[in-house]
Amino acid sequence: MNKAKQAGADRVRQAVEPVVRDADLYLEDVIVTLAGSRSVVRITLDLPEDALGSLDLDRVAEVSRGISTALDASNAFPGAYTLEISTPGTSRPLTELRHFKRARGRIVRLVLTDGGTVEGRLRDVEDGRLLLTDAPVDSVALDDVARGAIQVELKRALEADLGPDMAVDANPDAPHDEEI
C-alpha cells in the first residue's frame, strides 16, 4: 500500500476505533482506495476473539451509523467517499491467533509447515495449541501451522430447524403428503 493510502487508512482507523470499541467489536481491517474522484473506505468488523458465533447484520447496521458519523466529524476525508462495512466471512484466511480463536466450533483445514494437512473441528485454542475433534490428531501446535481456512458446512444448514414451512426432510425417501 502506498504512503498516501496508508495515511488515509490510519486516519480512518483513528476516527472509528472508539466507536467500534464502544460497540464491543473488533476493527479487523481498514482499506482505502480511489474510485474515480471518490474514495472508497472499506472497514471490516468482527466480534472480540473470545466470542463464539458470527456478527449479525443488525449489529453491523447499528454500528455503521456511528462509524459514518465519526468519520464525517473527523474530516479524515476531504470530499466524497463511499463507506463499505463488512465482516470477515468464512473466506478469511486464518493467519493470527485471534482468527483461530474466532473459528472455534467450525471445521478448519490446516496446512502444516511440513507440507501435511489436517482437517477437523476446532474445539479450542489453549497454550499455543489448536484442540481438534473429528480429526486424525487431537491437537496441532499453532507454530506448526503455515495457514488455515474455515471449511463451509452445508450439513449444519440442512440440520437447522427452519420452521414448519421450510423444514428440510432428513430422509428424502420417506413417504410424503403432497399438497397441490
mmCIF file of all heavy atoms in Angstrom, residues 4-41:
data_model
loop_
_atom_site.group_PDB
_atom_site.id
_atom_site.type_symbol
_atom_site.label_atom_id
_atom_site.label_comp_id
_atom_site.label_asym_id
_atom_site.label_seq_id
_atom_site.Cartn_x
_atom_site.Cartn_y
_atom_site.Cartn_z
ATOM 1 N N ALA A 4 0.257 7.375 0.858
ATOM 2 C CA ALA A 4 -0.966 8.193 0.924
ATOM 3 C C ALA A 4 -2.159 7.339 1.331
ATOM 4 O O ALA A 4 -2.968 7.730 2.173
ATOM 5 C CB ALA A 4 -1.230 8.880 -0.406
ATOM 6 N N LYS A 5 -2.284 6.144 0.731
ATOM 7 C CA LYS A 5 -3.389 5.250 1.090
ATOM 8 C C LYS A 5 -3.262 4.787 2.535
ATOM 9 O O LYS A 5 -4.252 4.701 3.252
ATOM 10 C CB LYS A 5 -3.437 4.048 0.154
ATOM 11 C CG LYS A 5 -3.950 4.366 -1.225
ATOM 12 C CD LYS A 5 -4.016 3.118 -2.067
ATOM 13 C CE LYS A 5 -4.450 3.432 -3.480
ATOM 14 N NZ LYS A 5 -4.468 2.222 -4.306
ATOM 15 N N GLN A 6 -2.036 4.475 2.948
ATOM 16 C CA GLN A 6 -1.827 4.037 4.330
ATOM 17 C C GLN A 6 -2.160 5.159 5.299
ATOM 18 O O GLN A 6 -2.779 4.928 6.339
ATOM 19 C CB GLN A 6 -0.390 3.556 4.538
ATOM 20 C CG GLN A 6 -0.137 3.003 5.924
ATOM 21 C CD GLN A 6 -1.031 1.819 6.265
ATOM 22 O OE1 GLN A 6 -1.129 0.880 5.493
ATOM 23 N NE2 GLN A 6 -1.679 1.873 7.400
ATOM 24 N N ALA A 7 -1.778 6.386 4.973
ATOM 25 C CA ALA A 7 -2.092 7.529 5.841
ATOM 26 C C ALA A 7 -3.603 7.710 5.936
ATOM 27 O O ALA A 7 -4.137 7.973 7.022
ATOM 28 C CB ALA A 7 -1.428 8.799 5.308
ATOM 29 N N GLY A 8 -4.314 7.553 4.813
ATOM 30 C CA GLY A 8 -5.773 7.650 4.828
ATOM 31 C C GLY A 8 -6.386 6.555 5.684
ATOM 32 O O GLY A 8 -7.302 6.806 6.469
ATOM 33 N N ALA A 9 -5.890 5.342 5.552
ATOM 34 C CA ALA A 9 -6.395 4.225 6.360
ATOM 35 C C ALA A 9 -6.120 4.460 7.838
ATOM 36 O O ALA A 9 -6.968 4.173 8.693
ATOM 37 C CB ALA A 9 -5.768 2.909 5.895
ATOM 38 N N ASP A 10 -4.966 5.014 8.158
ATOM 39 C CA ASP A 10 -4.631 5.316 9.564
ATOM 40 C C ASP A 10 -5.563 6.384 10.131
ATOM 41 O O ASP A 10 -5.996 6.292 11.283
ATOM 42 C CB ASP A 10 -3.177 5.767 9.690
ATOM 43 C CG ASP A 10 -2.188 4.632 9.451
ATOM 44 O OD1 ASP A 10 -2.590 3.445 9.482
ATOM 45 O OD2 ASP A 10 -0.994 4.945 9.218
ATOM 46 N N ARG A 11 -5.898 7.415 9.323
ATOM 47 C CA ARG A 11 -6.826 8.460 9.778
ATOM 48 C C ARG A 11 -8.212 7.872 10.033
ATOM 49 O O ARG A 11 -8.870 8.202 11.018
ATOM 50 C CB ARG A 11 -6.917 9.595 8.755
ATOM 51 C CG ARG A 11 -5.703 10.491 8.700
ATOM 52 C CD ARG A 11 -5.944 11.766 7.898
ATOM 53 N NE ARG A 11 -6.488 11.539 6.570
ATOM 54 C CZ ARG A 11 -5.758 11.349 5.464
ATOM 55 N NH1 ARG A 11 -4.455 11.360 5.545
ATOM 56 N NH2 ARG A 11 -6.335 11.171 4.296
ATOM 57 N N VAL A 12 -8.648 6.997 9.152
ATOM 58 C CA VAL A 12 -9.949 6.347 9.327
ATOM 59 C C VAL A 12 -9.929 5.504 10.591
ATOM 60 O O VAL A 12 -10.853 5.559 11.411
ATOM 61 C CB VAL A 12 -10.307 5.476 8.104
ATOM 62 C CG1 VAL A 12 -11.513 4.605 8.387
ATOM 63 C CG2 VAL A 12 -10.549 6.362 6.893
ATOM 64 N N ARG A 13 -8.885 4.719 10.758
ATOM 65 C CA ARG A 13 -8.770 3.853 11.937
ATOM 66 C C ARG A 13 -8.860 4.679 13.221
ATOM 67 O O ARG A 13 -9.601 4.327 14.137
ATOM 68 C CB ARG A 13 -7.454 3.068 11.887
ATOM 69 C CG ARG A 13 -7.304 2.038 12.978
ATOM 70 C CD ARG A 13 -6.044 1.206 12.795
ATOM 71 N NE ARG A 13 -6.135 0.259 11.707
ATOM 72 C CZ ARG A 13 -6.725 -0.921 11.798
ATOM 73 N NH1 ARG A 13 -7.276 -1.296 12.928
ATOM 74 N NH2 ARG A 13 -6.778 -1.722 10.764
ATOM 75 N N GLN A 14 -8.134 5.789 13.282
ATOM 76 C CA GLN A 14 -8.173 6.650 14.465
ATOM 77 C C GLN A 14 -9.574 7.197 14.717
ATOM 78 O O GLN A 14 -10.016 7.313 15.855
ATOM 79 C CB GLN A 14 -7.203 7.824 14.311
ATOM 80 C CG GLN A 14 -5.776 7.473 14.598
ATOM 81 C CD GLN A 14 -4.904 8.717 14.527
ATOM 82 O OE1 GLN A 14 -5.037 9.546 13.618
ATOM 83 N NE2 GLN A 14 -4.010 8.846 15.487
ATOM 84 N N ALA A 15 -10.268 7.559 13.654
ATOM 85 C CA ALA A 15 -11.599 8.162 13.784
ATOM 86 C C ALA A 15 -12.643 7.160 14.244
ATOM 87 O O ALA A 15 -13.531 7.491 15.033
ATOM 88 C CB ALA A 15 -12.027 8.801 12.460
ATOM 89 N N VAL A 16 -12.559 5.922 13.748
ATOM 90 C CA VAL A 16 -13.647 4.971 14.004
ATOM 91 C C VAL A 16 -13.361 3.974 15.121
ATOM 92 O O VAL A 16 -14.295 3.350 15.632
ATOM 93 C CB VAL A 16 -14.050 4.210 12.717
ATOM 94 C CG1 VAL A 16 -14.433 5.197 11.617
ATOM 95 C CG2 VAL A 16 -12.979 3.258 12.252
ATOM 96 N N GLU A 17 -12.105 3.821 15.518
ATOM 97 C CA GLU A 17 -11.785 2.832 16.550
ATOM 98 C C GLU A 17 -12.576 3.020 17.846
ATOM 99 O O GLU A 17 -13.087 2.038 18.395
ATOM 100 C CB GLU A 17 -10.284 2.810 16.840
ATOM 101 C CG GLU A 17 -9.716 1.444 16.643
ATOM 102 C CD GLU A 17 -8.197 1.403 16.632
ATOM 103 O OE1 GLU A 17 -7.522 2.436 16.766
ATOM 104 O OE2 GLU A 17 -7.707 0.292 16.473
ATOM 105 N N PRO A 18 -12.749 4.245 18.350
ATOM 106 C CA PRO A 18 -13.542 4.401 19.583
ATOM 107 C C PRO A 18 -14.996 3.929 19.415
ATOM 108 O O PRO A 18 -15.560 3.321 20.322
ATOM 109 C CB PRO A 18 -13.486 5.903 19.866
ATOM 110 C CG PRO A 18 -12.252 6.378 19.168
ATOM 111 C CD PRO A 18 -12.122 5.514 17.950
ATOM 112 N N VAL A 19 -15.595 4.171 18.263
ATOM 113 C CA VAL A 19 -16.979 3.745 18.010
ATOM 114 C C VAL A 19 -17.054 2.223 17.993
ATOM 115 O O VAL A 19 -17.950 1.621 18.590
ATOM 116 C CB VAL A 19 -17.495 4.328 16.671
ATOM 117 C CG1 VAL A 19 -18.867 3.779 16.333
ATOM 118 C CG2 VAL A 19 -17.503 5.841 16.705
ATOM 119 N N VAL A 20 -16.108 1.598 17.328
ATOM 120 C CA VAL A 20 -16.077 0.139 17.229
ATOM 121 C C VAL A 20 -15.850 -0.469 18.619
ATOM 122 O O VAL A 20 -16.524 -1.424 19.010
ATOM 123 C CB VAL A 20 -14.992 -0.317 16.230
ATOM 124 C CG1 VAL A 20 -14.826 -1.826 16.230
ATOM 125 C CG2 VAL A 20 -15.324 0.194 14.830
ATOM 126 N N ARG A 21 -14.925 0.078 19.348
ATOM 127 C CA ARG A 21 -14.622 -0.416 20.705
ATOM 128 C C ARG A 21 -15.842 -0.262 21.615
ATOM 129 O O ARG A 21 -16.182 -1.180 22.365
ATOM 130 C CB ARG A 21 -13.412 0.333 21.270
ATOM 131 C CG ARG A 21 -12.840 -0.259 22.529
ATOM 132 C CD ARG A 21 -11.552 0.419 23.003
ATOM 133 N NE ARG A 21 -11.462 1.848 22.756
ATOM 134 C CZ ARG A 21 -10.659 2.416 21.859
ATOM 135 N NH1 ARG A 21 -9.886 1.684 21.099
ATOM 136 N NH2 ARG A 21 -10.635 3.721 21.703
ATOM 137 N N ASP A 22 -16.530 0.892 21.543
ATOM 138 C CA ASP A 22 -17.722 1.114 22.369
ATOM 139 C C ASP A 22 -18.845 0.135 22.022
ATOM 140 O O ASP A 22 -19.689 -0.167 22.859
ATOM 141 C CB ASP A 22 -18.238 2.553 22.212
ATOM 142 C CG ASP A 22 -17.322 3.567 22.892
ATOM 143 O OD1 ASP A 22 -16.424 3.162 23.666
ATOM 144 O OD2 ASP A 22 -17.506 4.774 22.636
ATOM 145 N N ALA A 23 -18.858 -0.372 20.793
ATOM 146 C CA ALA A 23 -19.857 -1.356 20.370
ATOM 147 C C ALA A 23 -19.419 -2.777 20.733
ATOM 148 O O ALA A 23 -20.087 -3.738 20.369
ATOM 149 C CB ALA A 23 -20.094 -1.243 18.868
ATOM 150 N N ASP A 24 -18.301 -2.900 21.433
ATOM 151 C CA ASP A 24 -17.731 -4.185 21.826
ATOM 152 C C ASP A 24 -17.455 -5.061 20.604
ATOM 153 O O ASP A 24 -17.758 -6.248 20.578
ATOM 154 C CB ASP A 24 -18.619 -4.922 22.829
ATOM 155 C CG ASP A 24 -17.877 -6.070 23.521
ATOM 156 O OD1 ASP A 24 -16.642 -5.990 23.659
ATOM 157 O OD2 ASP A 24 -18.540 -7.059 23.887
ATOM 158 N N LEU A 25 -16.865 -4.415 19.581
ATOM 159 C CA LEU A 25 -16.477 -5.119 18.366
ATOM 160 C C LEU A 25 -14.985 -4.926 18.143
ATOM 161 O O LEU A 25 -14.330 -4.155 18.852
ATOM 162 C CB LEU A 25 -17.268 -4.603 17.159
ATOM 163 C CG LEU A 25 -18.760 -4.857 17.189
ATOM 164 C CD1 LEU A 25 -19.447 -4.193 16.001
ATOM 165 C CD2 LEU A 25 -19.060 -6.342 17.219
ATOM 166 N N TYR A 26 -14.459 -5.617 17.160
ATOM 167 C CA TYR A 26 -13.037 -5.551 16.836
ATOM 168 C C TYR A 26 -12.887 -5.001 15.414
ATOM 169 O O TYR A 26 -13.562 -5.467 14.488
ATOM 170 C CB TYR A 26 -12.428 -6.953 16.926
ATOM 171 C CG TYR A 26 -10.957 -6.986 16.603
ATOM 172 C CD1 TYR A 26 -10.014 -6.611 17.548
ATOM 173 C CD2 TYR A 26 -10.518 -7.387 15.353
ATOM 174 C CE1 TYR A 26 -8.662 -6.639 17.250
ATOM 175 C CE2 TYR A 26 -9.167 -7.418 15.050
ATOM 176 C CZ TYR A 26 -8.247 -7.036 16.010
ATOM 177 O OH TYR A 26 -6.907 -7.059 15.712
ATOM 178 N N LEU A 27 -12.011 -4.014 15.251
ATOM 179 C CA LEU A 27 -11.733 -3.422 13.950
ATOM 180 C C LEU A 27 -10.673 -4.272 13.266
ATOM 181 O O LEU A 27 -9.485 -4.171 13.544
ATOM 182 C CB LEU A 27 -11.256 -1.975 14.110
ATOM 183 C CG LEU A 27 -10.994 -1.174 12.850
ATOM 184 C CD1 LEU A 27 -12.218 -1.124 11.956
ATOM 185 C CD2 LEU A 27 -10.536 0.231 13.213
ATOM 186 N N GLU A 28 -11.129 -5.153 12.382
ATOM 187 C CA GLU A 28 -10.249 -6.124 11.724
ATOM 188 C C GLU A 28 -9.362 -5.466 10.677
ATOM 189 O O GLU A 28 -8.181 -5.755 10.596
ATOM 190 C CB GLU A 28 -11.103 -7.220 11.080
ATOM 191 C CG GLU A 28 -10.326 -8.303 10.401
ATOM 192 C CD GLU A 28 -9.701 -9.288 11.361
ATOM 193 O OE1 GLU A 28 -10.251 -9.530 12.435
ATOM 194 O OE2 GLU A 28 -8.636 -9.822 11.014
ATOM 195 N N ASP A 29 -9.947 -4.591 9.857
ATOM 196 C CA ASP A 29 -9.159 -4.033 8.760
ATOM 197 C C ASP A 29 -9.784 -2.741 8.259
ATOM 198 O O ASP A 29 -10.998 -2.541 8.358
ATOM 199 C CB ASP A 29 -9.093 -5.037 7.610
ATOM 200 C CG ASP A 29 -7.955 -4.779 6.638
ATOM 201 O OD1 ASP A 29 -7.065 -3.949 6.943
ATOM 202 O OD2 ASP A 29 -7.947 -5.404 5.571
ATOM 203 N N VAL A 30 -8.941 -1.869 7.720
ATOM 204 C CA VAL A 30 -9.372 -0.644 7.046
ATOM 205 C C VAL A 30 -8.580 -0.552 5.753
ATOM 206 O O VAL A 30 -7.352 -0.618 5.765
ATOM 207 C CB VAL A 30 -9.106 0.614 7.903
ATOM 208 C CG1 VAL A 30 -9.418 1.885 7.117
ATOM 209 C CG2 VAL A 30 -9.886 0.571 9.200
ATOM 210 N N ILE A 31 -9.293 -0.412 4.644
ATOM 211 C CA ILE A 31 -8.651 -0.260 3.339
ATOM 212 C C ILE A 31 -9.268 0.955 2.658
ATOM 213 O O ILE A 31 -10.488 1.101 2.630
ATOM 214 C CB ILE A 31 -8.865 -1.511 2.458
ATOM 215 C CG1 ILE A 31 -8.211 -2.729 3.114
ATOM 216 C CG2 ILE A 31 -8.301 -1.290 1.054
ATOM 217 C CD1 ILE A 31 -8.509 -4.039 2.409
ATOM 218 N N VAL A 32 -8.412 1.803 2.125
ATOM 219 C CA VAL A 32 -8.862 2.992 1.407
ATOM 220 C C VAL A 32 -8.356 2.910 -0.027
ATOM 221 O O VAL A 32 -7.168 2.682 -0.253
ATOM 222 C CB VAL A 32 -8.342 4.277 2.087
ATOM 223 C CG1 VAL A 32 -8.762 5.507 1.296
ATOM 224 C CG2 VAL A 32 -8.827 4.359 3.521
ATOM 225 N N THR A 33 -9.278 3.044 -0.969
ATOM 226 C CA THR A 33 -8.916 3.034 -2.395
ATOM 227 C C THR A 33 -9.606 4.202 -3.081
ATOM 228 O O THR A 33 -10.529 4.809 -2.533
ATOM 229 C CB THR A 33 -9.341 1.716 -3.082
ATOM 230 O OG1 THR A 33 -10.745 1.546 -2.926
ATOM 231 C CG2 THR A 33 -8.613 0.524 -2.499
ATOM 232 N N LEU A 34 -9.163 4.491 -4.281
ATOM 233 C CA LEU A 34 -9.794 5.534 -5.089
ATOM 234 C C LEU A 34 -10.657 4.894 -6.155
ATOM 235 O O LEU A 34 -10.270 3.898 -6.759
ATOM 236 C CB LEU A 34 -8.739 6.420 -5.747
ATOM 237 C CG LEU A 34 -7.973 7.352 -4.812
ATOM 238 C CD1 LEU A 34 -6.897 8.096 -5.597
ATOM 239 C CD2 LEU A 34 -8.920 8.336 -4.148
ATOM 240 N N ALA A 35 -11.829 5.478 -6.370
ATOM 241 C CA ALA A 35 -12.734 5.055 -7.441
ATOM 242 C C ALA A 35 -13.170 6.332 -8.148
ATOM 243 O O ALA A 35 -14.130 6.979 -7.744
ATOM 244 C CB ALA A 35 -13.926 4.294 -6.887
ATOM 245 N N GLY A 36 -12.427 6.704 -9.152
ATOM 246 C CA GLY A 36 -12.694 7.976 -9.826
ATOM 247 C C GLY A 36 -12.319 9.128 -8.912
ATOM 248 O O GLY A 36 -11.223 9.167 -8.359
ATOM 249 N N SER A 37 -13.256 10.037 -8.704
ATOM 250 C CA SER A 37 -12.980 11.188 -7.842
ATOM 251 C C SER A 37 -13.359 10.922 -6.384
ATOM 252 O O SER A 37 -13.186 11.785 -5.534
ATOM 253 C CB SER A 37 -13.742 12.408 -8.360
ATOM 254 O OG SER A 37 -15.135 12.142 -8.298
ATOM 255 N N ARG A 38 -13.865 9.750 -6.115
ATOM 256 C CA ARG A 38 -14.298 9.398 -4.755
ATOM 257 C C ARG A 38 -13.313 8.427 -4.118
ATOM 258 O O ARG A 38 -12.685 7.631 -4.792
ATOM 259 C CB ARG A 38 -15.660 8.719 -4.777
ATOM 260 C CG ARG A 38 -16.775 9.536 -5.362
ATOM 261 C CD ARG A 38 -18.050 8.735 -5.441
ATOM 262 N NE ARG A 38 -18.655 8.499 -4.149
ATOM 263 C CZ ARG A 38 -19.562 9.277 -3.582
ATOM 264 N NH1 ARG A 38 -19.980 10.352 -4.223
ATOM 265 N NH2 ARG A 38 -20.065 8.987 -2.417
ATOM 266 N N SER A 39 -13.258 8.481 -2.814
ATOM 267 C CA SER A 39 -12.517 7.469 -2.059
ATOM 268 C C SER A 39 -13.501 6.393 -1.632
ATOM 269 O O SER A 39 -14.662 6.673 -1.369
ATOM 270 C CB SER A 39 -11.890 8.091 -0.811
ATOM 271 O OG SER A 39 -10.921 9.039 -1.168
ATOM 272 N N VAL A 40 -13.043 5.165 -1.592
ATOM 273 C CA VAL A 40 -13.834 4.061 -1.073
ATOM 274 C C VAL A 40 -13.151 3.596 0.208
ATOM 275 O O VAL A 40 -11.974 3.244 0.199
ATOM 276 C CB VAL A 40 -13.935 2.899 -2.079
ATOM 277 C CG1 VAL A 40 -14.722 1.740 -1.483
ATOM 278 C CG2 VAL A 40 -14.579 3.371 -3.376
ATOM 279 N N VAL A 41 -13.907 3.645 1.295
ATOM 280 C CA VAL A 41 -13.402 3.248 2.601
ATOM 281 C C VAL A 41 -14.056 1.924 2.958
ATOM 282 O O VAL A 41 -15.273 1.848 3.122
ATOM 283 C CB VAL A 41 -13.731 4.317 3.675
ATOM 284 C CG1 VAL A 41 -13.237 3.878 5.037
ATOM 285 C CG2 VAL A 41 -13.153 5.665 3.283
#
